[in-house]
């Protein structure tokens, strides 16, 4: 019997012990039946042997013959089988155990000996070890040698009259590791783990049973050098994924050319709620595959064909303690979406084990095959991964999206089988389909205005002439949406009483957004000339603009003065030193990252609504043109109907002049040539 009253099983035996048990089984079966296989139907050549023939010998005679045979074996062979002290009683006991437990009953007890503890660890020594462990949690980190000395001190002072013997150092370190683990963590995390273990309740465990119950967020540097889309220079990007803990589906991801910011993570959560659109080179095999909901219905609700990737409203989000996941904006975005934020415990990998394994799977299954792979360590790096880089940022994003939909979602999960089918074969798609068949699918697609609500908000006043000031720049000086509210306070109360809420995308500072009367309006930067386009710039570039303007002696009363400085910084109209062939590598990387973030912001931004119709003045002009065309057509038709137009009667004034006797006749008019000739002939 094993500890706890459990019977030993075949799984407890090692491979060589199992082979020895099978040899012992053959000897026992030959004694019981005369055949090593246990049946005459599978008799081997020469069986049964005369001394083991059941038709000629009794069972006792066969046992005596088997004991004599085994004792004639060499000492080494007998020890290997555990039969160096074989007797008839041993064979009877083996037969009884085989009848009750099968092959596992023939295993020698020495092969599966249970853990018996350490006899040298007396109750007094056990008390000393527990006391020193509690003291080591309170103190700074110390070596095992110091802990051994503290154990000796405790035993000497607490049990001076008992003559307690403290075990050797090797025994103490073995017992310490068995009881408290290897102890390789930092002291502050060891203390927090001990405190958590002391207050841990069995019912506090989170059991994930449905998609969206827990979504894990994490970011890692992509181990592949990619080329930026502007200067084709190799850069390092960061990969952020959202992994569903129930189905292990990568429901959203983002590639950022710089370290992730709160805006990217907020938009990543927005992507979890939105269905993934089909791309031009994707075939019908990656279209929405989940049963119960037709693909046409999902495409009708989304407004476009949908790929085979789950989308849902997350209930809980788990992340690490990075600065971006603890920022006020990310917490605000999570609250806006109605999601519970559950940060992982510090230095506790099991809290995000599935996400870490997903990163490892992406690396081993895809990234290691790409040119530009730089490994996970400098010592393992290739000769020139930057020179081998061939994938651009947009190509890498498309490759990851295609791979996740076609490969990851259909890959068999060996170690993540559900509790209701532990021996089955499942993939993220089949797990989501099973959950959808059990609980249904929520096809609620968020409105496009969610993009504005997830942006960082600023509470400001509206200036009567310049608009609103966000991040040192003025917006909306020429915006008609602000006309009724210029110089007025809002009806907001509380902490931001009288101020207006304005949302800004830090990735593209050319415009901000304000909600007025239930609709969103775009406020353009005052420094942009009407009808002209300027390169995109981020919030980091705004500080450079203001500093350059201060060095040039400009007074930023109007943002139009800052436009030349901005163009010089973002390489739109630059001198020779800022040409792409003359720019430094760092400048190229910064510019490429700005444009990449601006493109991401443009993709996240909803399309502007179509114009409601021509303004009233345009409608009146069109009406006048239509009326004039109709009158012109009528006049043409009247002229065609009368070939010889009638002569108009004389005016009343002409008839009176003809009958007046006192009216002098008009003098004849001279032509211009006669007048010039007359002037030329006159004497001077």
């Amino acid at each position: 019997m094993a500890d706890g009253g459990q019977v030993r099983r075949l799984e407890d035996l090692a491979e060589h012990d199992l082979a020895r048990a099978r040899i012992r089984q053959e000897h026992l079966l030959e004694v019981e039946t005369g055949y090593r296989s246990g049946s005459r139907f599978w008799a081997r050549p020469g069986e049964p042997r005369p001394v083991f023939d059941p038709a000629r010998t009794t069972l006792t005679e066969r046992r005596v013959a088997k004991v004599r045979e085994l004792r004639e074996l060499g000492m080494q062979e007998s020890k290997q089988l555990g039969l160096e002290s074989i007797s008839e009683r041993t064979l009877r006991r083996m037969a009884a155990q085989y009848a009750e437990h099968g092959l596992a009953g023939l295993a020698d007890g020495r092969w599966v000996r249970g853990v018996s503890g350490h006899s040298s660890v007396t109750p007094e020594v056990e008390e000393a070890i527990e006391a020193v462990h509690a003291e080591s949690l309170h103190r700074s980190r110390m070596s095992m040698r110091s802990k051994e000395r503290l154990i000796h001190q405790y035993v000497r002072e607490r049990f001076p009259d008992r003559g307690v013997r403290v075990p050797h150092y090797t025994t103490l370190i073995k017992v310490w590791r068995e009881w408290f683990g290897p102890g390789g963590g930092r002291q502050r995390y060891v203390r927090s783990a001990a405190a958590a273990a002391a207050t841990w309740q069995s019912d506090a465990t989170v059991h994930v049973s449905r998609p969206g119950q827990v979504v894990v967020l994490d970011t890692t540097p992509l181990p592949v050098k990619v080329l930026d889309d502007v200067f084709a220079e190799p850069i390092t990007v960061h990969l952020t994924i959202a992994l569903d803990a129930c189905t292990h589906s990568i429901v959203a991801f983002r590639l950022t050319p710089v370290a992730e910011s709160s805006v990217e993570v907020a938009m990543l959560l927005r992507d979890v709620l939105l269905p993934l659109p089909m791309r031009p080179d994707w075939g019908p095999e990656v279209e929405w595959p989940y049963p119960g909901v037709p693909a046409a219905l999902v495409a009708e609700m989304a407004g476009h064909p949908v790929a085979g990737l789950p989308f849902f409203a997350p209930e809980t989000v788990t992340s690490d303690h990075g600065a971006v996941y603890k920022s006020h904006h990310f917490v605000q975005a999570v609250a806006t979406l109605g999601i519970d934020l559950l940060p992982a415990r510090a230095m506790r990998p099991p809290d995000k084990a599935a996400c870490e394994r997903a990163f490892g799977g992406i690396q081993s299954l895809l990234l290691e095959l790409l040119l530009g792979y730089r490994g996970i360590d400098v010592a393992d790096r290739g000769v020139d991964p930057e020179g081998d880089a061939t994938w651009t940022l947009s190509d890498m994003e498309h490759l990851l999206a295609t791979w996740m939909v076609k490969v990851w979602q259909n890959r068999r999960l060996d170690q993540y089988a559900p509790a209701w089918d532990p021996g089955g074969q499942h993939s993220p798609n089949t797990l989501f389909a099973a959950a959808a068949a059990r609980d249904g699918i929520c096809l609620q697609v968020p409105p496009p205005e969610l993009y504005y609500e997830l942006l960082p908000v600023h509470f400001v006043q509206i200036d009567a002439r310049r608009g609103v000031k966000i991040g040192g720049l003025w917006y909306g000086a020429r915006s008609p949406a602000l006309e009724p509210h210029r110089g007025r306070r809002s009806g907001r109360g509380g902490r931001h009483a009288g101020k207006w809420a304005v949302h800004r995308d830090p990735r593209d500072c050319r415009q901000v957004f304000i909600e007025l009367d239930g609709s969103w309006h775009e406020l353009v930067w005052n420094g942009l000339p009407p009808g002209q386009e300027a390169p995109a710039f981020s919030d980091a570039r705004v500080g450079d603009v203001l500093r350059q303007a201060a060095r040039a002696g400009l007074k930023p009363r109007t943002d139009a003065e800052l436009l030349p400085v901005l163009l010089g910084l973002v390489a739109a109209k630059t001198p020779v030193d800022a040409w792409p062939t003359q720019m430094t590598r760092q400048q190229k990387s910064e510019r490429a990252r700005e444009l990449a973030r601006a493109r991401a912001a443009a993709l996240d931004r909803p399309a502007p609504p179509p114009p409601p119709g021509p303004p009233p003045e345009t409608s009146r002009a069109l009406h006048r043109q239509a009326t004039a065309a109709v009158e012109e057509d009528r006049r043409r038709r009247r002229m065609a109907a009368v070939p010889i137009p009638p002569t108009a009667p004389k005016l009343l004034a002409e008839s009176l002049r003809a009958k007046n006797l006192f009216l002098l006749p008009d003098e004849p008019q001279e032509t211009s040539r006669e007048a010039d000739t007359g002037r030329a002939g006159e004497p001077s």
Side-chain angles (χ1 to χ4, degrees):
M1 300 290 288
D3 292 340
Q6 291 188 337
V7 180
R8 295 185 178 91
R9 305 170 58 88
L10 285 178
E11 291 80 359
D12 298 330
L13 298 177
E15 290 294 332
H16 63 282
D17 294 332
L18 184 60
R20 290 192 290 177
R22 295 190 186 281
I23 296 176
R24 299 181 72 171
Q25 179 188 26
E26 292 180 356
H27 286 292
L28 178 63
L29 291 177
E30 188 176 17
V31 172
E32 297 292 328
T33 64
Y35 302 92
R36 291 207 169 198
S37 61
S39 175
R40 60 185 177 88
F41 297 104
W42 291 284
R44 298 179 183 179
E47 288 185 348
R49 291 187 289 173
V51 294
F52 297 105
D53 189 355
R56 300 179 184 180
T57 59
T58 63
L59 179 59
T60 302
E61 293 175 346
R62 293 194 297 272
R63 287 174 178 169
V64 172
K66 180 58 68 175
V67 170
R68 187 184 309 111
E69 177 186 353
L70 293 176
R71 286 180 178 178
E72 293 176 356
L73 294 176
M75 183 58 66
Q76 187 68 23
E77 290 82 356
S78 300
K79 284 188 176 181
Q80 284 293 327
L81 295 177
L83 300 175
E84 64 272 13
S85 301
I86 188 67
S87 64
E88 297 180 36
R89 182 180 178 182
T90 304
L91 291 176
R92 288 195 298 269
R93 186 176 67 252
M94 290 173 57
Q97 293 177 351
Y98 181 74
E100 184 177 358
H101 304 296
L103 183 59
L106 298 180
D108 195 326
R110 293 170 293 182
W111 302 346
V112 288
R113 179 178 297 172
V115 179
S116 59
H118 302 274
S119 58
S120 59
V121 180
T122 60
E124 293 82 1
V125 176
E126 180 179 352
E127 180 182 343
I129 294 176
E130 294 286 353
V132 172
H133 176 258
E135 183 68 18
S136 64
L137 293 177
H138 177 73
R139 299 190 186 185
S140 301
R141 185 176 180 180
M142 64 182 71
S143 64
M144 190 60 203
R145 285 291 184 184
S146 301
K147 297 174 183 176
E148 180 198 13
R149 297 185 181 98
L150 292 179
I151 293 174
H152 279 274
Q153 178 186 358
Y154 186 91
V155 171
R156 181 178 179 180
E157 295 182 5
R158 290 297 177 92
F159 314 106
D161 302 331
R162 300 186 186 181
V164 179
R165 181 179 178 182
V166 179
H168 190 263
Y169 170 77
T170 56
T171 304
L172 289 178
I173 192 173
K174 184 182 298 185
V175 172
W176 191 280
R177 290 177 178 176
E178 290 177 0
W179 293 4
F180 311 117
R186 298 293 185 182
Q187 192 68 3
R188 58 180 298 187
Y189 304 128
V190 172
R191 281 195 294 268
S192 63
T199 58
W200 181 256
Q201 301 293 334
S202 60
D203 56 351
T205 305
V206 178
H207 299 281
V208 181
S209 60
R210 57 187 178 275
Q213 184 178 358
V214 176
V215 175
V216 186
L217 303 182
D218 201 1
T219 305
T220 185
L222 192 73
V224 177
K225 285 287 186 178
V226 300
L227 304 177
D228 63 76
D229 295 326
V230 182
F231 302 104
E233 290 290 335
I235 60 174
T236 301
V237 298
H238 288 71
L239 173 63
T240 305
I241 65 172
L243 182 77
D244 178 39
C246 178
T247 63
H248 296 273
S249 301
I250 302 179
V251 290
F253 78 97
R254 287 268 169 159
L255 275 180
T256 53
V258 292
E260 78 283 1
S261 63
S262 58
V263 177
E264 272 91 1
V265 181
M267 293 303 159
L268 180 71
L269 290 178
R270 174 173 170 262
D271 294 341
V272 177
L273 280 73
L274 295 174
L276 180 65
M278 290 284 291
R279 303 198 176 186
D281 59 340
W282 289 358
E285 70 277 2
V286 299
E287 199 172 357
W288 178 267
Y290 307 108
V293 181
L297 176 61
V298 182
E300 181 181 357
M301 295 190 63
H304 51 74
V306 178
L309 192 69
F311 66 94
F312 43 72
E315 302 176 18
T316 304
V317 166
T318 298
S319 62
D320 57 14
H321 293 262
V324 63
Y325 298 109
K326 295 192 298 184
S327 62
H328 294 285
H329 175 227
F330 178 70
V331 175
Q332 172 195 347
V334 170
T336 302
L337 296 174
I339 302 174
D340 295 330
L341 183 59
L342 181 64
R345 294 175 296 170
M347 301 299 292
R348 299 296 182 272
D351 292 353
K352 300 192 294 85
C355 195
E356 300 296 343
R357 290 180 64 89
F359 282 133
I362 296 173
Q363 175 180 324
S364 61
L365 297 175
L366 175 65
L367 301 180
E368 291 182 358
L369 307 176
L370 305 180
L371 287 175
Y373 175 72
R374 56 189 178 91
I376 59 176
D377 191 83
V378 178
D380 298 331
R381 190 161 298 176
V383 177
D384 187 15
E386 296 183 352
D388 296 339
T390 57
W391 295 87
T392 63
L393 182 59
S394 57
D395 293 340
M396 181 60 67
E397 191 275 337
H398 182 71
L399 173 66
L400 285 174
T402 306
W403 181 82
M404 289 177 182
V405 175
K406 290 186 176 182
V407 179
W408 179 267
Q409 290 298 119
N410 298 288
R411 182 172 175 265
R412 187 179 66 183
L413 301 174
D414 293 333
Q415 301 178 5
Y416 294 108
W420 45 267
D421 189 14
Q425 297 182 0
H426 295 275
S427 66
N429 274 343
T430 59
L431 290 177
F432 184 77
R438 180 190 62 190
D439 302 327
I441 300 177
C442 180
L443 296 180
Q444 182 179 1
V445 180
E449 290 76 16
L450 182 62
Y451 162 77
Y452 305 112
E453 298 177 5
L454 295 181
L455 294 178
V457 61
H458 301 263
F459 295 93
V460 295
Q461 300 284 355
I462 299 180
D463 186 78
R465 182 171 56 89
R466 292 179 290 183
V468 297
K469 186 177 183 180
I470 306 294
L473 301 180
W474 289 92
Y475 297 86
R478 299 180 296 271
S479 175
L482 295 183
E483 293 300 331
H485 310 284
R486 293 187 184 276
R488 297 176 55 186
R489 294 170 57 87
S490 69
R492 186 185 310 275
R495 178 182 177 185
H496 304 286
K499 296 184 179 180
W500 301 85
V502 181
H503 296 255
R504 180 188 64 151
D505 194 336
R507 300 170 295 179
D508 189 357
C509 295
R510 294 176 296 180
Q511 64 278 318
V512 295
F513 310 96
I514 187 173
E515 184 182 13
L516 298 173
D517 301 328
S519 60
W520 289 89
H521 302 274
E522 180 182 285
L523 307 180
V524 183
W525 177 41
N526 296 351
L528 296 180
Q532 296 187 17
E533 188 72 18
F537 59 96
S538 63
D539 55 347
R541 190 65 59 184
V542 172
D544 295 341
V545 171
L546 298 178
R547 284 191 293 270
Q548 291 287 347
R551 293 193 193 100
L554 299 177
K555 296 181 179 180
R557 296 179 179 177
T558 61
D559 286 345
E561 297 175 326
L562 300 179
L563 183 60
V565 182
L566 175 64
L567 296 181
L569 289 174
V570 298
K573 296 179 180 179
T574 57
V576 175
D577 294 338
W579 286 358
T581 55
Q582 303 294 327
M583 294 175 65
T584 63
R585 183 174 178 178
Q586 182 179 2
Q587 292 174 339
K588 292 181 180 180
S589 299
E590 291 179 356
R591 178 59 185 150
R593 289 168 180 171
E594 279 194 358
L595 294 181
R597 298 185 69 192
R599 281 192 296 269
L603 292 176
D604 294 334
R605 192 179 307 126
E617 297 181 359
T618 306
S619 301
R620 288 194 293 269
L622 294 176
H623 178 70
R624 288 195 298 268
Q625 293 178 3
T627 303
V630 172
E631 293 179 354
E632 180 65 20
D633 181 68
R634 290 177 179 176
R635 186 182 64 81
R636 190 182 306 106
R637 292 170 59 185
R638 288 196 300 267
M639 294 180 64
V642 182
I644 303 176
T647 58
K650 294 184 178 181
L651 299 177
L652 181 60
E654 293 181 356
S655 60
L656 292 177
R657 286 173 60 88
K659 298 178 181 180
N660 191 353
L661 299 179
F662 300 98
L663 185 63
L664 297 177
D666 296 333
E667 296 182 357
Q669 299 291 333
E670 296 181 347
T671 62
S672 59
R673 178 176 298 180
E674 293 175 351
D676 294 339
T677 305
R679 294 191 193 98
E682 293 178 359
S684 56

